[in-house]
Amino acid sequence: TCSNGVSTVSQIKVNSIVPAGGLPTGSSGGIIQVKAVTKTDTFSTSNNSYTDITGLSVTITPSSNASKIFITGHMTGMGTSNTRQGFRLMRDSTPICRGDANGNRDRNFGGIYSSDNDNTTQTVSVCHLDDPGTTSAVTYKIQTINSNNTDAVYVNRSNSWTDSSSHNTGTSNITVMEVSG
């Protein structure tokens, strides 16, 4: 409030703020936009091929071809006894942020091994800076797989999931941030 009792409001809108001395070599500018989704319900699959996790995708439209997209994700899961659950990050239909090809080994960013019918969940996280090189809408999503048998693997719940305080439910999420190039 000004001294005369009149309230004023000001706005400054910019695409990015760059220091007067410029950005250090190899760095980018600030965050332009953020999109996120948190999955609170459960999901299961016994598929031996990567399957989209329902409700765990987010679409962003970069404002510049030079923009990078910083992705973070956190998955909660568990499987039945002796299952190996992998998680994969996708840009539209292209897998990104995964290990190098090495024989028949599964290429993903992380996984969970369930040694027995446990009542607790495990977590896997991912951080990746992507360069989509487009101003068209891009969808980032998480997929999962049961890589060693046909038993079920779960997202946001444990295997032993009776109505008991010792059996937990959880959340999973994905956040994407456009970083100016």
Side-chain angles (χ1 to χ4, degrees):
T1 304
C2 297
S3 60
N4 63 2
V6 177
S7 178
T8 60
V9 177
S10 298
Q11 285 185 336
I12 298 175
K13 295 182 178 183
V14 298
N15 287 336
S16 69
I17 297 175
V18 177
L23 295 170
T25 302
S27 67
S28 296
I31 302 298
I32 297 171
Q33 60 175 317
V34 178
K35 304 278 179 132
V37 64
T38 297
K39 179 176 179 62
T40 58
D41 60 339
T42 63
F43 176 84
S44 67
T45 184
S46 55
N47 208 338
N48 287 121
S49 60
Y50 275 99
T51 303
D52 292 353
I53 300 170
T54 306
L56 204 51
S57 68
V58 64
T59 300
I60 189 168
T61 303
S63 60
S64 166
N65 285 333
S67 292
K68 307 282 192 286
I69 306 296
F70 183 63
I71 307 113
T72 63
H74 174 90
M75 277 55 59
T76 299
M78 177 55 69
T80 54
S81 184
N82 296 312
T83 56
R84 289 168 178 83
Q85 181 176 13
F87 292 97
R88 183 166 80 170
L89 178 62
M90 303 289 289
R91 180 201 324 117
D92 294 327
S93 60
T94 303
I96 58 174
C97 186
R98 60 186 186 152
D100 291 341
N102 191 334
N104 292 318
R105 292 169 181 85
D106 187 26
R107 297 177 65 196
N108 55 42
F109 66 78
I112 294 170
Y113 172 65
S114 302
S115 60
D116 57 19
N117 293 325
D118 203 354
N119 59 2
T120 59
T121 56
Q122 298 178 34
T123 59
V124 177
S125 297
V126 63
C127 290
H128 179 67
L129 185 63
D130 190 40
D131 187 1
T134 186
T135 56
S136 298
V138 180
T139 299
Y140 291 93
K141 61 187 174 182
I142 306 293
Q143 296 181 326
T144 191
I145 186 175
N146 178 348
S147 59
N148 73 309
N149 61 41
T150 58
D151 292 339
V153 291
Y154 304 103
V155 174
N156 290 348
R157 61 159 278 193
S158 56
N159 174 51
S160 302
W161 207 54
T162 58
D163 189 9
S164 168
S165 62
S166 65
H167 298 183
N168 68 304
T169 61
T171 64
S172 298
N173 61 64
I174 184 170
T175 301
V176 297
M177 295 171 266
E178 181 183 1
V179 181
S180 62

